[in-house]
Amino acid sequence: MVTQKGTDVLAIEGGRRLEGSVTISGSKNAALGAMAAALLVDDDCILENVPDIGDVHHMAEVLRSLGVAAQWVRAGVLRLNAAGLHSFSPPS
């Protein structure tokens, strides 16, 4: 990483052209907001491109403690159903 006049620049050196692709995971903040919004409906909410990170797993545990069914369908896909939502969290 090289800094030029306050701007970060990634300098690539070599004789080969860059090629390939990169998969970008979803936004943590967008996923957490969508998970909270899933509390507003009684139907299944399928969230795609959800990042597999601690904050998302912790939020899923909080939702489960409130009666929400939360399960990973496959990598990056989370199913939430708030039909069983209740208004308290059981004590630890």
Side-chain angles (χ1 to χ4, degrees), residues 1 10 12 20 30 33 41 44 48-49 52 63 65-66 79 84 86:
M1 184 80 61
L10 183 60
I12 309 284
V41 296
D44 281 351
E48 297 179 347
N49 202 21
D52 185 11
L63 296 180
S65 77
L66 296 171
R79 183 186 69 81
H86 46 78

Side-chain angles (χ1 to χ4, degrees), residues 21-31 48-54 56 72 75-77:
S21 63
V22 176
T23 302
I24 306 300
S25 71
S27 164
K28 172 193 80 162
N29 292 335
E48 297 179 347
N49 202 21
V50 177
D52 185 11
I53 58 173
V56 170
W72 292 94
V77 180

Side-chain angles (χ1 to χ4, degrees), residues 1-81:
M1 184 80 61
V2 178
T3 302
Q4 296 178 346
K5 297 182 184 176
T7 304
D8 289 336
V9 176
L10 183 60
I12 309 284
E13 295 180 12
R16 293 179 29 166
R17 186 180 181 128
L18 292 178
E19 51 185 85
S21 63
V22 176
T23 302
I24 306 300
S25 71
S27 164
K28 172 193 80 162
N29 292 335
L32 295 176
M35 291 172 76
L39 298 176
L40 301 175
V41 296
D42 290 340
D43 296 325
D44 281 351
C45 290
I46 308 296
L47 305 180
E48 297 179 347
N49 202 21
V50 177
D52 185 11
I53 58 173
D55 287 353
V56 170
H57 288 277
H58 291 301
M59 177 66 146
E61 283 302 312
V62 169
L63 296 180
R64 285 185 192 107
S65 77
L66 296 171
V68 176
Q71 78 178 137
W72 292 94
V73 177
R74 61 181 177 279
V77 180
L78 182 62
R79 183 186 69 81
L80 302 170
N81 187 301

